Amino acid sequence: MVTSHTSTAARARASTGRVSGFAASILLILEGQWIWYRLNWRSTVISSVLLPVLFLVALGMGMGALIEPSEATAGMDYLAYLAPAMLVVGAVQNGAGEATYPVLSGFKWQKNFWAVTATPITPAQLACGKLVWIALRLTFSGVAFLLVAALMGAVSGLGVLLALPFSVLTGMAFAAPVVALAAAMKGEGDGFNALFRFVVMPQMLFAGTFYPISNLPELLQPIAWITPLWHGSELARGAAFGTLTLLPTVGHLTYLGGLLAIGTVLSCRLFRKQLVV
Amino acid sequence: MTVEQTRTERETDPQPSRWASGLRIFPPGLYAGRASRLVERSLLAGKGAWLAILSGFFEPVFYLISFGFAFGGMVGQISGPGGAPIEYAAFIAPGLLAVSAMNGAVYDATFNIFFKLRYAKLYDAVLATPMGPLDVAIAEIAWAVLRGGVYAAGFLSVMFGMGLITSPWALLALPVALLISFAFAAVGMAATTFIRSTQDFDFVQLAILPMALFSTTFFPLEVYPRVAQFLVQCLPLFHGVELMRALATGVVSWGLIGHVGYFVVMAGIGVIVATRRLEKLLLT
């Protein structure tokens, strides 16, 4: 009795004001997310796996019937041409989904971010933990998507395994700045609608997912260069078809890595600004 | 509107109005003929969200530019209604018009109505006035149809501007878009009354997105194997796409009446179920 009392007291003393280690905090946040996810994963299957698969079936198979393999499809069957890019599109869309309302909700509706930062976990650790969680989610969905795509015969070879980390990187390069945006968001998240309508959706349509960007009018092509999705689908296609060359690969990776780094730093700052009163 | 105005209105316009006595399918008390008041409310409330409403117009336009032109180069010509070859952009534009009429109506009839029903408790407030569940159903469906109609009119003018309309029959595309919106809004509203939590909206997505992708919007019915062709022909949006494609290209026949009939029946069922469900949810 006495010992347990002292140990509780000791723990309470130890926890006040002590900053938890970085890796330990991230693990704690992941554990919290996982507990929630274990109960709620079903509803995420539809949006994160089924919808990209449906796009692949409808456009890859249906449109594929209208399109002969040509230079524009890298000599591939249209279904095989579309699959790596659809993997990246799925990552970007899921990344955007996880980075918007769930983050705003932590600040605004559920307010669980305040609860978390009332513990030894710091706002910056919370932001990083959230980002690592999003990366994990993108990995799960990517694996599930690839399994289905392989069953459909849309996968051209083992190179697609390298496309998976590329797609997660692309999703994170987009999600990290959006997490920062969500942390700075005022109001009820109406701005997210505009983000999805004017950034996420056009990115899918105009950044070389369904056809090479050289098909676009020349004025529109530079817009594709700034989208993470274009860099990601170039990398994923290169990996899947075995056509990666050194210099472009380094260029794409630098751009995506840079976006991720900027997004992470901004997220940590804005979480601190919001949560430290 | 000031309180005084409301009071004078009440005195000069006693309920139930003439409309109510004309409508005897539903028991009295369900309908007070005041649906327009709730539409007026939506208009006032929509003023702050005009950007969100307007943005819905851009979605089909982006799809048209991306697929119709940049992608169309890879496809070339495709056989349109009646078998005559048409440009790929001219093939998908009417399909996208039907999709946008559906989307505008469904989003409004599901997300927004769910919010008003469960969180804002708007209809509890409305039913404390002389208005009944049928007023609510009609008013909300009318608002969704208005939105669908605005999108359709906008998209039609874009099609016209791009030279994708080749027949005066296309004038009928606007009323047809309103009918499609009406049917989807009615069914969407009926479905919304069964939705338990926001997570169920994934099922709405699951109904809407595949329908948009598979209802011959982007590629002709002949692409599918036989069995799949039959399944696609059962989808409501397929009939909308057929109607729009026939009107835009001017290949019009009496067979189109069948497609119209599909939507009339769908709208009727939707209104009846939505009203009954609202009555059950709000008045018992």
Side-chain angles (χ1 to χ4, degrees):
Chain A
M1 219 37 206
V2 177
T3 43
S4 92
H5 181 251
T6 36
S7 73
T8 319
R11 239 182 290 134
R13 213 170 24 250
S15 69
T16 41
R18 184 177 64 100
V19 176
S20 159
F22 191 77
S25 306
I26 301 278
L27 280 175
L28 283 170
I29 291 162
L30 293 183
E31 189 187 342
Q33 291 279 354
W34 175 249
I35 291 169
W36 179 88
Y37 190 64
R38 235 174 29 194
L39 299 171
N40 293 289
W41 63 273
R42 283 175 198 82
S43 68
T44 65
V45 170
I46 294 179
S47 53
S48 58
V49 182
L50 211 53
L51 295 184
V53 165
L54 282 167
F55 260 96
L56 189 64
V57 172
L59 300 180
M61 290 181 154
M63 298 262 238
L66 304 176
I67 294 172
E68 298 292 319
S70 68
E71 201 189 330
T73 64
M76 289 287 172
D77 224 29
Y78 190 66
L79 181 65
Y81 171 78
L82 189 59
M86 229 38 242
L87 172 72
V88 186
V89 168
V92 167
Q93 288 186 332
N94 292 328
E98 284 288 308
T100 47
Y101 292 102
V103 172
L104 186 63
S105 176
F107 286 110
K108 195 171 175 91
W109 298 306
Q110 293 177 298
K111 299 190 189 291
N112 56 341
F113 287 179
W114 268 275
V116 169
T117 44
T119 73
I121 293 172
T122 65
Q125 290 169 345
L126 173 63
C128 293
K130 198 77 191 168
L131 286 171
V132 174
W133 169 250
I134 297 175
L136 278 179
R137 275 287 322 272
L138 298 186
T139 313
F140 298 152
S141 327
V143 169
F145 174 83
L146 280 180
L147 285 177
V148 184
L151 287 177
M152 285 167 57
V155 168
S156 47
L158 280 178
V160 100
L161 292 177
L162 183 58
L164 181 68
F166 287 153
S167 76
V168 175
L169 173 65
T170 314
M172 293 310 297
F174 188 69
V178 176
V179 167
L181 178 76
M185 180 77 82
K186 307 267 183 280
E188 302 288 323
D190 293 331
F192 292 146
N193 278 331
L195 180 81
F196 282 102
R197 282 250 164 79
F198 295 113
V199 181
V200 178
M201 198 258 307
Q203 198 176 189
M204 173 178 88
L205 291 174
F206 296 105
T209 310
F210 302 105
Y211 45 83
I213 55 168
S214 54
N215 278 23
L216 288 171
E218 272 184 31
L219 274 174
L220 284 178
Q221 290 179 22
I223 300 177
W225 299 340
I226 53 171
T227 61
L229 182 56
W230 178 70
H231 296 275
S233 52
E234 286 290 299
L235 283 171
R237 280 206 175 106
F241 307 153
T243 54
L244 282 183
T245 47
L246 184 65
L247 222 61
T249 307
V250 172
H252 295 310
L253 286 176
T254 314
Y255 183 72
L256 293 175
L259 274 181
L260 175 59
I262 293 171
T264 308
V265 171
L266 278 178
S267 297
C268 291
R269 289 226 173 131
L270 286 160
F271 267 57
R272 199 176 305 133
K273 199 175 151 200
Q274 286 268 352
L275 294 168
V276 178
V277 187
Chain B
M1 188 186 293
T2 60
V3 182
E4 239 141 295
Q5 266 176 314
T6 324
R7 195 177 297 141
T8 41
E9 249 171 32
R10 285 253 167 88
E11 281 156 10
T12 54
D13 187 9
Q15 60 87 33
S17 78
R18 268 184 304 137
W19 277 93
S21 47
L23 239 141
R24 278 286 176 232
I25 331 162
F26 294 101
L30 278 181
Y31 188 61
R34 294 270 182 96
S36 58
R37 295 287 191 276
L38 192 53
V39 177
E40 191 185 340
R41 188 248 167 221
S42 298
L43 267 171
L44 284 172
K47 266 186 190 156
W50 63 270
L51 185 66
I53 292 178
L54 191 73
S55 73
F57 159 77
F58 287 97
E59 190 161 316
V61 175
F62 286 155
Y63 268 88
L64 180 63
I65 296 171
S66 176
F67 281 103
F69 297 101
F71 185 85
M74 289 159 82
V75 181
Q77 292 206 322
I78 196 166
S79 81
I86 54 174
E87 287 299 322
Y88 188 64
F91 178 81
I92 64 165
L96 291 170
L97 175 60
V99 171
S100 80
M102 169 181 83
N103 277 345
V106 168
Y107 283 120
D108 199 75
T110 52
F111 300 96
N112 294 346
I113 290 183
F114 180 78
F115 181 78
K116 291 181 199 167
L117 183 68
R118 303 275 173 171
Y119 298 136
K121 307 263 180 222
L122 178 75
Y123 304 134
D124 294 271
V126 167
L127 293 181
T129 72
M131 288 161 72
L134 185 60
D135 293 272
V136 173
I138 289 181
E140 290 298 46
I141 292 167
W143 174 240
V145 168
L146 263 174
R147 268 180 82 161
V150 169
Y151 294 159
F155 192 71
L156 266 172
S157 36
V158 170
M159 278 170 73
F160 185 73
M162 290 179 170
L164 297 173
I165 290 176
T166 50
S167 156
W169 282 103
L171 284 174
L172 281 182
L174 189 61
V176 167
L178 294 178
L179 177 66
I180 296 174
S181 295
F182 191 111
F184 276 105
V187 170
M189 184 167 187
T192 304
T193 60
F194 291 98
I195 282 178
R196 296 153 300 175
S197 75
T198 48
Q199 287 179 349
D200 283 347
F201 282 119
D202 275 8
F203 292 106
V204 176
Q205 285 279 49
L206 193 61
I208 293 307
L209 189 80
M211 193 139 62
L213 289 172
F214 291 106
S215 299
T216 72
T217 321
F218 292 103
F219 40 85
L221 190 64
E222 292 78 54
V223 164
Y224 295 102
R226 267 260 169 253
V227 186
Q229 285 191 8
F230 174 74
L231 290 175
V232 167
Q233 283 171 317
C234 295
L235 297 174
L237 187 61
F238 167 79
H239 299 275
V241 174
E242 287 288 295
L243 275 168
M244 290 304 190
R245 198 164 280 151
L247 292 172
T249 53
V251 185
V252 174
S253 70
W254 286 109
L256 295 183
I257 301 286
H259 300 306
V260 172
Y262 189 107
F263 286 111
V264 172
V265 171
M266 183 176 158
I269 293 173
V271 171
I272 292 171
V273 174
T275 309
R276 292 279 179 223
R277 286 285 304 168
L278 280 177
E279 187 190 6
K280 201 173 159 211
L281 284 178
L282 296 169
L283 292 182
T284 52

